[in-house]
Amino acid sequence: MAQLRRSLHDELVILVVDNNQPQEEDESSSPCKVISISASEISSWDLLIQESSYFHGLLSGSFSESGRDHISIEWNLETFLNLMRCIYDCALDITSTSFLPLFDAALYFGVETLLSKCKRWLLLLASSNDSASPILELPDLVQMWSFGLERAVEFVPDLCAAYLAKNLMLVKSDEYFGNVPYELLMCCIKHPHLTVDSEMHLADALLVWLDANKRLSDLSETSNGNIVNLMEQVRFSLLPLWFIAERRKSHGFSTFADHSIELVTKLTKMSSKCLVDSLRDGPPTDLRVRLTQYTEKLDLSGCTQLNEAILLLSVLPETYFTNPMWRKSLKSFLSNPEDNLRNQEQSSLRILPISSFETVEEVDISKCQRLDYKATIKCISKSFPSLRKLRAAYLLNIKVSTMLELLQSFGNLTEVDLTVDIVPIIPCQASVFYASPGLAQTPPIISLTSGSNSFDHGQVHRSLSSITRLTLEDKDLRSISRSCGSLCYLNIKGCALLSDACIAYVIERCKSLHSLRVCYTSFSESSVLALCAGTSVTSSLASNLQILHMSKCEGISETSLINLITRTQKLKSLCLRDTKVSDSVLCELSVSSLQSLDISNTTISSMALARVINKNQNLKSLKARGCKNLIQSETVFNSLSKGSGLEELEIGWGFTYFSLASLRPAVSSLRAISVGLGASLGEDGLKLLPSACPLLESIVLYFQEISDSALTSIVISLKHLEELALSYCFGDIKLQSFKFSIPNLRKLRLERVTRWMTNEDLFVLTQSCPNLTELTLVGCAHLNSDSQPIISSGWPGMISLHLEECGRITENGVASLYGCVALEDLLLRHNGSGIQKNFLLDASLKFPMLRLVSLDMCDAKEGNFDVPEEKEEVRFLSIVKISRCKSQRCSLGRELAPVHRETLVMFWNGQNFTNTLLKQRL
């Protein structure tokens, strides 16, 4: 109840408001609230009549209440007071929860000022690019939308749909997302401001919505119609192949899966010019990547069908397609983008009005092998001038000149990822029969990171921030380091051809270096000297190192190692795996900031390791598999139990059930565990894992005793499990545990632990682990060619498949495996001699994303395989390994298991094939 006196003669006006909301039961609560307002602070009570049509009608003679000295109002106390604050121009804060009550009050009392404020607030949320702008909670949004429809206030549902469209990436993971009304979701999808990182994210969001509230189980005509209408909004030709294959079994998507694969396959075979010729008049909507003024990230990774024509079609305005000559203009640019730029002033026909999207800061074109990089760089540099991060992993033809052109084209670029597959040949470890001439020129793989851009005398010196595994040679690395004085991160893991002198040269030039990954390289004495150079311990580069990974770097003396270790002051991650590091070296490590330590396959003792752990109580990751001197390791586990908690543990010798028990609760946050040779967890230890480590996502076991009951405990209890590997374990395994649902499992490796697996067991596995993307089976002797359709139909989205010594799976060829259209990594060895001679060519056609293949001559139907001579024959394959065995007989003349003889490795280095014949098996 509100009592309002109109007289100005009183010094004090008493307003009594009766809250119409239920009162919380509280002894001190009062049914009404008395608020005193000084009349001297209000110039005229007529403002209330002027600002509110409700009060204007009541107090201006239109109604009987106008003659009274007070009026009665029943409304929510807080909302009514905020209404009064707005009328008298006081500060008013509108929030996600207060908008609807305020807007309702503004409509009821006819306060246009508040209506305008609410509209401006909602408009700001629906259109702002500011990441700091308020977030509209999804339940509140749905209520606003429904309220706007009920009250016929058009701008409210329109702006709600606009907000949802702009923020779909944010709200699609909200647990309330499944409750969004169909009509609102459809308005969102059709809205011009619909902003998603990729078409895949839109399709995924729709499938999440369909799965909610059991919509897919509703077989009514209306429900099925809604499903079709929603999914038809997806541009299927822009989906990555692996996503289509993986969702093939989803009820909401299965109807469209075959059509999607057909579209993608067709586009993969078309050149840019043929694609342009095939288009009809008008904007080719289905081929245009969604870009809006709010797009910040563009994720096109895995879209093998993407070419420069599709990219260009996406950044051209719709008005461009009204010109009847647009195809000719576009084809002209695609013929020679460089020439287009040179002749912009001379030929208006050849100029493309490429739109600029200044909010885009991150682009991912990884595995988009069909892109022409010159045209792509020109297009991206003009369309995304604010680009800061570029991911272009697994693109075979990226060269040093491409990277330099990137630096010249993008002034704000700070991170670049150009990861490629690492060459599986390390000369110092390989026994080579012969190598084609190209091997000597095979570029190594490098990763660089530098700090932010610097400005000097009016010139911008662009820096690299995260250039990962770029193919370079010694001279290239020196050149890049000269251009990147602020280099702070260097990753040259596996670059065996880089010399120690070259690495030292880069270290000497890059004074800001704080992260160094030099595993399996020639990193040695010269490089250590460069790190330790300085007038004092604190003036050397080593003192600023935060990451130092040097696995398999064996050419460093103990004296040099001690000199290096003693100078490190800020280390957070140290990897000494497979080195000759001794206790005397590790004991010199004085840092207390370590979060990750890897000493696998070294001779470090328990006492030395315990000393380091005691100094570094925030250690999150410890890898110590293969350390035989840890067999008496109680001191190590006692030290770990006092720490802040591990997240990753790799251990072997000395690790038992009692060790695991003693680590509780230090392992309660453990995410990944790998237990290897020398450990003896036993069945009790495995059963303890789920309760001791309830957050485990990855379990890898080597040479451990396992049982169905222990595995059942693991798969039932660990709801977050994504990876399970059982290698060379022993015990009673009959796959009973895999009859339980493990929906989150993505990687499964069973190596010589399921010898008795049958096709029926394999089928059960497809039902219990429906979302596998990586599968390794070794030694499953009872499988046969009927296993292939089980695999391809059960896991159509498989990315990595390794089958070795699995009965007769390939005895009749591999045609049934072609259903796994998204395969990137395939290993088939000793599974039956039925693989066709031209398999490599066939596989590259049937598996558009295939990069890695491993075969064995024993499985060749005609005794050998055709080796491609031209890169175009096998499209995107980067590494092919073909092994050869020789048969053996015992003294009694019986045939024994074949013994490996050699491996042919073919590697595409971006320019030509390199063939290398090795004595060992890879």
Side-chain angles (χ1 to χ4, degrees):
M1 183 75 70
Q3 296 181 348
L4 176 62
R5 296 187 182 276
R6 302 175 58 211
S7 174
L8 290 176
H9 300 296
D10 297 333
E11 292 184 357
L12 198 65
V13 175
I14 305 298
L15 180 64
V16 181
V17 182
D18 185 14
N19 194 350
N20 73 338
Q21 300 298 318
Q23 296 261 350
E24 293 184 6
E25 298 206 4
D26 189 345
E27 293 181 359
S28 61
S29 64
S30 174
C32 60
K33 183 87 171 178
V34 179
I35 298 127
S36 299
I37 306 173
S38 173
S40 61
E41 296 177 2
I42 301 176
S43 59
S44 173
W45 288 103
D46 291 338
L47 186 61
L48 183 61
I49 297 174
Q50 297 170 8
E51 293 293 323
S52 168
S53 60
Y54 178 90
F55 287 115
H56 181 272
L58 287 180
L59 305 176
S60 298
S62 299
F63 299 94
S64 59
E65 287 88 344
S66 61
R68 300 179 182 179
D69 62 351
H70 72 276
I71 58 173
S72 299
I73 301 168
E74 186 176 352
W75 205 263
N76 176 271
L77 172 63
E78 182 180 0
T79 303
F80 185 78
L81 290 178
N82 280 327
L83 179 80
M84 298 296 290
R85 290 171 64 86
C86 178
I87 289 175
Y88 290 102
D89 202 25
C90 298
L92 179 63
D93 184 26
I94 301 178
T95 66
S96 177
T97 54
S98 70
F99 172 86
L100 202 53
L102 286 174
F103 189 69
D104 188 20
L107 286 174
Y108 184 86
F109 291 105
V111 181
E112 288 294 334
T113 304
L114 183 54
L115 285 173
S116 297
K117 284 188 176 182
C118 288
K119 184 175 182 179
R120 286 196 302 271
W121 180 82
L122 189 55
L123 178 61
L124 178 66
L125 261 63
S127 59
S128 175
N129 277 326
D130 187 0
S131 58
S133 61
I135 296 176
L136 194 55
E137 297 296 332
L138 196 52
D140 296 330
L141 175 74
V142 172
Q143 286 187 9
M144 292 177 195
W145 178 80
S146 300
F147 181 87
L149 289 180
E150 292 171 4
R151 301 298 179 89
V153 185
E154 291 185 2
F155 78 84
V156 174
D158 289 347
L159 291 179
C160 286
Y163 178 88
L164 188 61
K166 179 173 73 79
N167 296 282
L168 187 62
M169 289 296 298
L170 177 67
V171 301
K172 74 184 186 72
S173 57
D174 192 300
E175 60 181 12
Y176 192 82
F177 181 67
N179 295 315
V180 173
Y182 164 79
E183 293 79 6
L184 174 56
L185 186 60
M186 184 62 80
C187 290
C188 158
I189 298 171
K190 292 185 175 182
H191 200 281
H193 290 170
L194 177 61
T195 304
V196 287
D197 292 353
S198 71
E199 203 67 18
M200 175 190 69
H201 288 92
L202 173 60
D204 185 60
L206 296 182
L207 291 175
V208 168
W209 186 85
L210 289 172
D211 285 337
N213 299 325
K214 299 182 179 179
R215 289 188 177 93
L216 293 177
S217 60
D218 184 358
L219 301 180
S220 67
E221 184 177 346
T222 301
S223 177
N224 287 334
N226 289 346
I227 292 174
V228 172
N229 289 338
L230 277 175
M231 295 308 299
E232 283 182 344
Q233 307 307 312
V234 176
R235 299 172 184 177
F236 297 105
S237 55
L238 298 177
L239 292 174
L241 196 57
W242 69 265
F243 178 83
I244 301 172
E246 185 178 271
R247 296 306 181 98
R248 205 171 191 167
K249 296 191 296 181
S250 172
H251 176 62
F253 191 76
S254 57
T255 308
F256 307 95
D258 291 339
H259 175 60
S260 301
I261 292 176
E262 182 181 343
L263 281 174
V264 170
T265 303
K266 182 179 179 180
L267 286 172
T268 302
K269 299 175 181 178
M270 295 179 69
S271 68
S272 290
K273 292 181 182 179
C274 290
L275 176 60
V276 174
D277 284 333
S278 69
L279 298 177
R280 300 178 180 178
D281 294 335
T285 303
D286 290 343
L287 291 174
R288 283 162 59 88
V289 177
R290 298 180 195 268
L291 287 166
T292 72
Q293 65 195 78
Y294 307 106
T295 303
E296 297 180 358
K297 180 181 178 180
L298 183 60
D299 183 1
L300 302 172
S301 60
C303 293
T304 55
Q305 70 274 29
L306 185 71
N307 55 31
E308 58 275 14
I310 295 177
L311 197 58
L312 282 168
L313 290 171
S314 305
V315 296
L316 292 168
E318 291 199 10
T319 54
Y320 172 76
F321 301 100
T322 61
N323 185 340
M325 302 294 288
W326 71 266
R327 291 184 190 82
K328 187 175 181 180
S329 173
L330 185 56
K331 286 169 64 178
S332 176
F333 180 89
L334 292 170
S335 298
N336 194 340
E338 295 283 350
D339 185 57
N340 174 267
L341 295 176
R342 287 194 299 267
N343 297 291
Q344 284 185 6
E345 297 180 358
Q346 301 176 13
S347 175
S348 59
L349 177 66
R350 297 173 69 101
I351 298 176
L352 292 182
I354 295 176
S355 303
S356 177
F357 301 89
E358 297 188 1
T359 56
V360 175
E361 295 188 350
E362 185 174 351
V363 172
D364 191 343
I365 54 172
S366 300
K367 301 177 185 177
C368 298
Q369 300 279 18
R370 303 182 67 244
L371 285 174
D372 177 270
Y373 304 124
K374 284 189 176 294
T376 300
I377 290 173
K378 296 302 178 186
C379 176
I380 291 179
S381 63
K382 191 169 183 180
S383 294
F384 313 130
S386 303
L387 190 68
R388 298 178 62 84
K389 300 179 182 179
L390 176 64
R391 291 203 71 232
Y394 303 106
L395 302 182
L396 301 180
N397 296 319
I398 293 288
K399 303 180 181 65
V400 176
S401 58
T402 307
M403 188 198 68
L404 295 176
E405 190 172 356
L406 282 171
L407 292 177
Q408 295 169 1
S409 301
F410 302 102
N412 298 316
L413 196 63
T414 58
E415 293 188 23
V416 180
D417 181 353
L418 301 176
T419 300
V420 296
D421 293 305
I422 295 180
V423 187
I425 304 170
I426 300 176
C428 62
Q429 300 177 9
S431 299
V432 180
F433 278 128
Y434 77 84
S436 65
L439 181 62
Q441 287 80 41
T442 299
I445 298 161
I446 191 169
S447 167
L448 304 172
T449 300
S450 73
S452 56
N453 297 346
S454 59
F455 187 81
D456 181 24
H457 300 298
Q459 294 182 341
V460 175
H461 301 284
R462 294 173 186 141
S463 310
L464 304 181
S465 178
S466 183
I467 301 180
T468 308
R469 299 189 181 97
L470 175 68
T471 48
L472 298 173
E473 298 178 1
D474 263 20
K475 64 180 185 299
D476 299 319
L477 180 56
R478 291 174 186 262
S479 175
I480 294 299
S481 66
R482 285 194 293 268
S483 303
C484 306
S486 57
L487 192 71
C488 61
Y489 178 99
L490 177 63
N491 182 353
I492 51 174
K493 178 181 178 181
C495 299
L497 299 182
L498 286 178
S499 67
D500 185 31
C502 174
I503 300 172
Y505 175 84
V506 175
I507 293 172
E508 289 169 352
R509 290 196 60 85
C510 303
K511 302 301 182 184
S512 301
L513 199 65
H514 62 61
S515 299
L516 190 60
R517 299 176 185 267
V518 291
C519 304
Y520 303 97
T521 69
S522 300
F523 178 86
S524 190
E525 295 289 331
S526 298
S527 300
V528 172
L529 287 174
L531 283 173
C532 297
T535 56
S536 64
V537 172
T538 56
S539 65
S540 64
L541 278 177
S543 64
N544 291 318
L545 283 180
Q546 298 177 25
I547 298 176
L548 176 59
H549 289 193
M550 43 186 292
S551 299
K552 205 63 178 180
C553 296
E554 301 175 331
I556 310 172
S557 67
E558 184 172 292
T559 302
S560 296
L561 273 177
I562 291 175
N563 188 27
L564 175 60
I565 292 297
T566 54
R567 289 174 180 266
T568 56
Q569 305 291 322
K570 303 177 182 178
L571 272 182
K572 294 182 179 179
S573 180
L574 176 63
C575 177
L576 300 170
R577 176 189 291 259
D578 293 307
T579 65
K580 296 179 180 178
V581 63
S582 62
D583 282 1
S584 58
V585 174
L586 197 63
C587 287
E588 294 296 329
L589 187 66
S590 59
V591 298
S592 58
S593 54
L594 271 184
Q595 297 177 9
S596 175
L597 176 63
D598 187 348
I599 56 164
S600 302
N601 302 322
T602 65
T603 59
I604 297 298
S605 69
S606 300
M607 294 301 294
L609 179 57
R611 182 176 177 179
V612 172
I613 294 172
N614 285 329
K615 290 180 182 178
N616 296 272
Q617 294 295 300
N618 290 322
L619 194 68
K620 299 297 181 185
S621 173
L622 175 63
K623 298 180 180 180
R625 258 195 326 120
C627 297
K628 293 183 179 181
N629 289 344
L630 297 182
I631 193 166
Q632 301 294 330
S633 51
E634 290 81 2
T635 55
V636 171
F637 302 124
N638 287 336
S639 300
L640 285 173
S641 65
K642 300 173 184 177
S644 60
L646 286 172
E647 295 180 1
E648 184 177 18
L649 177 63
E650 291 186 9
I651 199 71
W653 296 93
F655 190 65
T656 65
Y657 163 82
F658 301 103
S659 306
L660 179 61
S662 69
L663 284 176
R664 304 176 72 175
V667 292
S668 60
S669 298
L670 202 67
R671 303 281 181 175
I673 187 170
S674 177
V675 182
L677 184 64
S680 53
L681 271 180
E683 184 173 350
D684 291 340
L686 292 179
K687 288 183 176 179
L688 179 61
L689 271 178
S691 59
C693 318
L695 301 180
L696 274 176
E697 298 172 358
S698 172
I699 297 178
V700 180
L701 303 176
Y702 297 93
F703 301 103
Q704 297 300 301
E705 182 179 358
I706 55 178
S707 66
D708 274 323
S709 60
L711 284 179
T712 299
S713 174
I714 287 174
V715 300
I716 290 179
S717 305
L718 296 175
K719 303 301 182 182
H720 305 287
L721 195 63
E722 296 180 2
E723 179 182 12
L724 179 62
L726 307 175
S727 299
Y728 303 93
C729 296
F730 47 94
D732 183 21
I733 297 296
K734 296 179 181 177
L735 291 179
Q736 296 298 317
S737 54
F738 287 102
K739 291 185 177 180
F740 299 95
S741 178
I742 322 173
N744 292 322
L745 197 68
R746 308 287 287 179
K747 302 178 182 179
L748 178 63
R749 190 164 80 243
L750 302 174
E751 297 180 309
R752 302 197 186 283
V753 293
T754 52
R755 179 184 176 188
W756 303 107
M757 178 186 285
T758 63
N759 287 336
E760 289 73 20
D761 295 325
L762 188 61
F763 176 78
V764 170
L765 207 57
T766 65
Q767 303 304 302
S768 57
C769 309
N771 297 313
L772 281 187
T773 58
E774 298 184 22
L775 174 66
T776 297
L777 298 177
V778 178
C780 301
H782 291 265
L783 298 181
N784 55 38
S785 56
D786 292 336
S787 305
Q788 290 187 36
I790 296 174
I791 292 173
S792 59
S793 61
W795 298 299
M798 187 70 68
I799 292 175
S800 174
L801 179 62
H802 289 195
L803 302 173
E804 185 170 358
E805 296 184 21
C806 288
R808 305 184 307 279
I809 283 185
T810 59
E811 188 174 56
N812 298 320
V814 292
S816 297
L817 283 180
Y818 290 147
C820 299
V821 293
L823 271 180
E824 298 178 18
D825 179 7
L826 178 63
L827 182 149
L828 298 172
R829 284 177 172 167
H830 293 174
N831 301 305
S833 54
I835 302 180
Q836 297 293 332
K837 187 176 183 179
N838 63 344
F839 171 74
L840 289 175
L841 179 59
D842 266 3
S844 66
L845 294 173
K846 301 292 186 179
F847 303 126
M849 301 184 69
L850 192 64
R851 303 192 328 272
L852 309 173
V853 174
S854 298
L855 303 171
D856 197 294
M857 288 293 191
C858 295
D859 296 331
K861 185 175 183 178
E862 300 177 43
N864 56 42
F865 296 105
D866 287 337
V867 176
E869 297 181 0
E870 298 293 335
K871 172 58 186 171
E872 288 303 317
E873 293 182 24
V874 288
R875 306 177 75 177
F876 306 137
L877 280 179
S878 62
I879 298 175
V880 176
K881 294 180 287 186
I882 303 177
S883 299
R884 189 195 307 271
C885 301
K886 62 179 179 181
S887 59
Q888 287 192 134
R889 295 183 179 275
C890 68
S891 57
L892 299 177
R894 295 176 180 173
E895 188 171 328
L896 302 176
V899 176
H900 178 263
R901 188 170 68 182
E902 59 203 18
T903 301
L904 173 65
V905 179
M906 294 176 288
F907 169 66
W908 172 252
N909 64 11
Q911 297 176 342
N912 50 54
F913 265 120
T914 295
N915 296 326
T916 307
L917 189 63
L918 304 176
K919 294 181 181 178
Q920 62 263 55
R921 184 176 187 176
L922 292 178

